[in-house]
Every structure is written in structure tokens, then in C-alpha cells.
Amino acid sequence: MANKAKFQAIKGTRDLLPPETELWNRVEQTAREVFGTFGFGEIRPPIFEPTELFARAVGGETDIVSKEMYSFEDARGDLQEMREMIRNYALPATDEHWTNAFLGLLRNFQTRLEAGIRSGEVEHHQEAHAFYDYFSQGITHFQAELSHGVETNKPEIDRTFRLLKLAVAGVTLGPSVCLRPEATASVCRAYIEHGMQQWPAPVKLYYMGPMFRRERPQKGRYRQFYQIGAEVLGGTDAPGIDAEVIEMVMAFFGRLELQGAQLEINSIGHSAPNCRRGYVEKLKAALVEVKDKLGADSQRRIATNPLRVLDSKLEHEQAIIEKLPRIADSLCDDCKSYYAEVKRQLDLRGVAYRENWRLVRGLDYYMRTTFEITAQGLGSQNAVCGGGRYDGLVELLGGPPTKGIGFAIGEDRLILSLQEAGGGTATGRDVYIAWMGEKAQATAIAAARKLREAGLRVELPPVEQKFGKALGQADKLGAKFALILGEDEVASREWTVKRLADGTQEKVNGEAVVEFLKRKK
Ligand code: AMP
């Protein structure tokens, strides 16, 4: 019986394997090509960043930041080593030598920590101080217990020992970093850090790569998932930019022949009192009226983020939400005409859309244009792209006032949808070279090199096989052709090419075989 696998990919993560990875590569290659034709260049930001960046950019009250980030402390140095030593200290022996050594270690840590807090090396926050006081008391207590003799006081010493270890393990020594849950914040950080406001505007960047959110995994929802996104930063906020960004995503999906892509758009105004802020007040008032009929999540959001109530998928809330005030009736004149122009610009580009007044982004710096694209074959997780305008974000992160708009495509879902529609790739090989005999092997090796140089996918068996077995193998690998090289073929230079789909075969001169197979591929 096979052993049960000892290690498995962590829940919510997965291995992407051939032949599926071929489709991933095709999708990514197509993105590069299409985005390139719109003048976008690639940015590759790091995968981990300061936790604070996302707390600020994405928002502390969002699920992403409050529950889903993989964050950890990035400490290194002697303080951290001392902490590890204390944390890993072996369980107590009733031995004076041991207890004194431990006490010495604690004292060193205490002195070093105090200096660290004073110099600012350890963040000077309340928690550090509270910990420091608690810890100092703990040490005094421990020392007092020890003075009564290790033998008589064993249980108390043991308890204090464990508590001190736990306390030390819990102290934060270094900055918190996290695996990125999205990349817009990183791109804006990089824009500021590299002074891209000096570059010719607008700066157009695209990225692709893994994102991390601790979500409940299901079909189309993973903890490590991949996004392909783009941002336009700086320059004007002409509505033509919004339309062109959307046109680009649709062109990309079109090139991939994604089935049933549905674009929805909305305008969420801007944060002025006579625009979104006024609307949010109206919405809040209307929500308070119907509060008792709403679920717990929506009830909570009335106070924290009323716009998010419009996102609700709960069946019984739908009829209630339909009757709520709509943002279109509250937009200020500027936002109204901006929205009208975005729609006109989409029409000019022949991009079909549906308006959805419930499409919101719950963060203050999102403004005006928001959009989402859904695709077929994905069940409830059917959004493959979300985007919007975010003119306030760069400034929020400490940069100059900067116009911005962008989107993120969920690559996993895009791929799922392409596969559901039968658009997966059958990998395989173009040519399987079946050879027998030493001379044939030399010819086969040379042929493989030439075929590969011509871009064909070639399988060359490393050891001799009977032709029957080789052809079976070629079939299993999904090869299109088998090139058969035996002593006869080598001698006559007339090679046998067999088309595996129908079993037909013909003789082709060795010199002409590359051209022949390239044509047939
Ligand atoms: P967001 O960054 O939340 O606006 O998401 C943009 C797109 O990323 C969504 O439309 C999804 O296609 C995709 N996405 C977001 N979260 C996940 C996840 N946990 N697993 C897979 N795809 C995701």
C-alpha cells in the first residue's frame, strides 16, 4: 500500500502542473503582448511589504486587512536571538546551575531590551512598555521564588518559568511585514519611492504574480492566488483613460476568447458632501429604517461601511436593497458628466457594458468609475476582474496628489473559465523520436536538436525501445507525430514519419524532415 503523503501543499494553495501551466503561460504571454500594445511596462514589486502599507491603502476595517493577511515580524539580531534562546530553553530541572543561567539570560534580555526601547531600535509603543513592566516584575518574582530554594518551591518556579517564556516569546521586536494581499498599494509605493511623478505622464504599469489572503478556500477562491493587474498613474483624469483601461482588459479577454465576459460599470462619485458623502448619509438613514430586517453583517456595516451593504449576496436582503436610494440620484454635476463621458468613450470604442448601481468599493479614496467583469463557468465566484479610479491613494501613502486608475484580474478564475469552455491546451509533444540501434541513436540526437531549434516539442527516449513500445509511449504523451529511425532508415536516409491520430505514415528524406514537420505542426 502506498504511504500516505507526509507533506501536502498548505490548505488553499496548490501546485500548478503541466499541461495546465501551458495555459497559464499563454495567458501571461497574451497579457504582456496586449498590455504592451497599450503602452504599459511591467513592474515586479516584492512579494512582501510593510504590513502598514496595506493597512493604510486597503483599509483597517476591510476583511483583507483585519482577518486575511499573512503577517509576521521581521526581526533579526542579538535581541531576537536572545528571545529565541529564552523561548527554547529546556523545561526546568531542579538545578541551581540551570535556574541561575536562566535568570542571567532574562536579565541580559531585560537590559538589552530597555536599551533597544530607549534608542528606538525596538518600536517605542505602549505595548512594548507594558510588556517591559510586566516582564521586570516577572523577573523579580522569579528571583524571590528561587531564593526560597528550588526543591521547596518547584511548582511555582515551574509556573513562573513558563509564564516568563511565553511573555518573552510574545514581545514584538521588529517591524511587521506581510505577504501582499494585492498589488495596487505596492505599485503606488514604488511610484512614490522612485519619483515616477517625474516620468512622462501618465505612468502605465502592469504586474502579475501571486497574492495571499487567508480566506476560506473553495472553487475559485484560494489563499495563494494570482492576479494580473495594471495601473495608470499621474497625468490627467480624462474619462478616455478610464474607457481605454477597460477597453484593454476586454481586448485581452477577447484575444483569449474568454466566453461570456460581462462588463458592469458604475460611478460612486467623489467624497464631497454634495456627492458621495451626502449619498452615504441618505443611505445610512434608509438602512436604519430597515435595520431589523437585515442580517447581522449588514447591520454592523450600517455604522462601519454602509456602501458595503449593497454588496450583500444574502437572498432575503435583495428586495430590501432594491428599494434603497441609489447613488446616481446623488452625484454632483461634475461626477455626473464625468460618468456620462466614460460611457460615451466606451461606446466610441465599441465596448459593451451594463450599469450596476450596486457596484461599490468601500474605501474613501475610490472615486467615480468602478467596474467589474464576470465570466462563465465559475459558479458563485464569477468575478474575474475588478477595478476603479483611486485619485486619492498615492497621496494617502505620502506622495503628491496623483490621478490613478487600475484593475486586477483573478488569473486562477480566468484560467478556470477558459478550461470550462474547453479552451484548455492539450500539451504534448509534436514529435516522438522512436529509434533502435546505436547509429540510429546518433541520428536521433541530431534530429532532436534540429527539430527543437525549429521550435518543435520533441521527446527523445534516452534508452532503446522496441518500436511497438515506443509508439505506445508516443500515444500516451499525446505526440502528433512519431519519427521512426531504425537501421534501414539511417542507411537509406529516408525516414518514416507516422501521424499518430490516424496511423498514416510516409517516408521523408532526412534532410527535409524539419521543414516537413514544421509545416504539418
Ligand atoms: P480584489 O483585489 O479583491 O478586487 O480582486 C480582484 C480579482 O482577484 C477578483 O475579481 C478575483 O477574480 C480575484 N480574487 C480575489 N481574491 C481571490 C482569491 N482568494 N482567490 C482567487 N481569486 C481571487
Side-chain angles (χ1 to χ4, degrees):
M1 217 175 90
N3 275 339
K4 205 166 167 221
K6 193 165 176 193
F7 294 113
Q8 292 182 326
I10 290 170
K11 195 173 152 199
T13 74
R14 59 212 176 111
D15 300 304
L16 303 172
L17 306 171
E20 194 185 302
T21 36
E22 223 172 273
L23 182 55
W24 284 76
N25 284 329
R26 181 158 71 83
V27 163
E28 289 165 14
Q29 185 54 30
T30 306
R32 291 178 198 287
E33 282 167 20
V34 174
F35 296 177
T37 62
F38 281 78
F40 283 70
E42 185 178 4
I43 176 169
R44 298 192 191 194
I47 278 170
F48 63 105
E49 297 260 15
T51 306
E52 181 57 25
L53 173 67
F54 300 105
R56 186 96 68 86
V58 183
E61 320 88 65
T62 57
D63 283 355
I64 295 182
V65 171
S66 63
K67 301 187 210 156
E68 298 173 357
M69 285 214 291
Y70 286 96
S71 49
F72 52 97
E73 182 202 29
D74 191 22
R76 216 198 128 122
D78 62 331
L79 253 174
Q80 195 261 353
E81 278 167 25
M82 283 158 106
R83 183 181 63 186
E84 285 311 297
M85 272 173 79
I86 295 172
R87 180 159 47 194
N88 297 326
Y89 215 84
L91 284 174
T94 41
D95 174 330
E96 298 241 338
H97 175 66
W98 169 86
T99 48
N100 286 335
F102 186 64
L103 195 60
L105 199 54
L106 289 174
R107 287 237 177 80
N108 284 345
F109 185 69
Q110 183 187 23
T111 316
R112 181 64 185 80
L113 182 64
E114 196 186 0
I117 293 176
R118 227 180 305 115
S119 71
E121 174 196 352
V122 177
E123 234 179 279
H124 195 82
H125 50 68
Q126 263 184 331
E127 195 195 315
H129 274 291
F131 166 78
Y132 184 77
D133 291 344
Y134 176 77
F135 179 59
S136 305
Q137 282 167 25
I139 294 180
T140 315
H141 195 65
F142 191 52
Q143 198 173 7
E145 280 170 353
L146 290 180
S147 69
H148 296 129
V150 214
E151 279 306 334
T152 52
N153 239 346
K154 216 172 142 213
E156 283 89 286
I157 291 177
D158 202 53
R159 203 173 137 268
T160 314
F161 167 77
R162 284 164 200 277
L163 283 175
L164 278 166
K165 268 177 56 153
L166 275 176
V168 170
V171 66
T172 310
L173 297 175
S176 174
V177 300
C178 70
L179 300 182
R180 64 181 184 194
E182 57 105 60
T184 301
S186 304
V187 175
C188 290
R189 192 234 349 105
Y191 179 85
I192 301 166
E193 187 170 335
H194 301 286
M196 292 188 208
Q197 61 270 25
Q198 310 299 336
W199 295 13
V203 174
K204 297 184 188 176
L205 299 168
Y206 74 86
Y207 60 84
M208 51 185 75
M211 308 293 156
F212 306 85
R213 296 181 195 171
R214 194 183 280 113
E215 302 203 70
R216 192 168 312 133
Q218 52 178 289
K219 182 184 171 193
R221 188 177 286 287
Y222 311 99
R223 292 182 163 183
Q224 173 171 341
F225 61 100
Y226 295 78
Q227 284 187 338
I228 300 177
E231 320 288 347
V232 180
L233 292 162
T236 100
D237 61 350
I241 294 191
D242 305 40
E244 194 180 72
V245 162
I246 294 173
E247 179 191 5
M248 180 169 90
V249 188
M250 296 310 279
F252 169 52
F253 287 167
R255 184 84 76 87
L256 291 171
E257 295 175 11
L258 180 69
Q259 300 299 305
Q262 282 276 1
L263 166 67
E264 295 191 339
I265 60 167
N266 190 25
S267 172
I268 53 166
H270 73 310
S271 59
N274 66 341
C275 198
R276 185 169 66 233
R277 201 163 342 137
Y279 169 69
V280 171
E281 289 312 314
K282 259 194 240 170
L283 180 64
K284 233 184 206 172
L287 284 170
V288 170
E289 296 280 307
V290 294
K291 185 170 178 185
D292 297 341
K293 296 189 203 139
L294 298 172
D297 277 346
S298 294
Q299 289 198 7
R300 196 163 27 82
R301 286 181 177 141
I302 297 176
T304 57
N305 202 341
L307 282 174
R308 285 287 313 280
V309 177
L310 306 181
D311 272 346
S312 161
K313 303 272 187 298
L314 284 184
E315 196 63 47
H316 84 274
E317 292 184 341
Q318 302 307 311
I320 307 168
I321 293 173
E322 280 304 309
K323 295 203 195 88
L324 292 170
R326 304 189 170 200
I327 191 155
D329 303 322
S330 297
L331 293 182
C332 68
D333 288 346
D334 278 355
C335 284
K336 255 186 211 153
S337 58
Y338 190 97
Y339 187 35
E341 183 59 16
V342 171
K343 288 188 279 187
R344 197 182 74 85
Q345 290 277 344
L346 284 171
D347 293 337
L348 276 177
R349 290 166 165 80
V351 177
Y353 56 84
R354 214 162 44 195
E355 289 180 72
N356 175 1
W357 71 277
R358 288 174 56 178
L359 198 64
V360 293
R361 302 232 139 195
L363 301 171
D364 250 12
Y365 57 79
Y366 271 107
M367 57 180 291
R368 294 188 167 160
T369 314
T370 58
F371 60 97
E372 189 170 277
I373 301 165
T374 53
Q376 284 179 0
L378 295 173
S380 62
Q381 307 298 321
N382 65 349
V384 285
C385 175
R389 175 162 284 286
Y390 51 80
D391 291 355
L393 180 55
V394 170
E395 204 174 350
L396 183 74
L397 297 177
T402 306
K403 309 291 181 198
I405 179 167
F407 63 81
I409 294 166
E411 192 178 357
D412 308 72
R413 292 185 195 174
L414 175 57
I415 301 256
L416 265 175
S417 182
L418 291 170
Q419 287 170 329
E420 294 282 327
T425 39
T427 331
R429 316 292 194 270
D430 297 310
V431 190
Y432 189 99
I433 306 184
W435 59 270
M436 276 186 80
E438 220 171 284
K439 276 199 193 127
Q441 186 180 23
T443 309
I445 289 171
R449 190 180 62 236
K450 284 202 186 119
L451 288 164
R452 285 172 179 150
E453 280 168 2
L456 285 106
R457 295 169 299 180
V458 178
E459 190 67 23
L460 177 68
V463 292
E464 188 174 79
Q465 289 170 326
K466 295 247 165 60
F467 285 133
K469 189 171 171 204
L471 290 175
Q473 195 67 20
D475 231 9
K476 263 193 222 153
L477 288 172
K480 289 185 197 140
F481 294 95
L483 180 59
I484 301 171
L485 293 176
E487 304 291 334
D488 291 350
E489 279 85 358
V490 175
S492 69
R493 294 175 176 251
E494 289 295 310
W495 300 354
T496 304
V497 176
K498 184 175 174 122
R499 180 197 289 279
L500 286 155
D502 55 14
T504 55
Q505 58 184 56
E506 52 191 298
K507 293 275 183 192
V508 180
N509 186 278
E511 297 296 321
V513 86
V514 173
E515 268 316 304
F516 176 85
L517 286 169
K518 234 170 98 178
R519 242 190 357 260
K520 298 263 171 167
K521 182 183 140 188

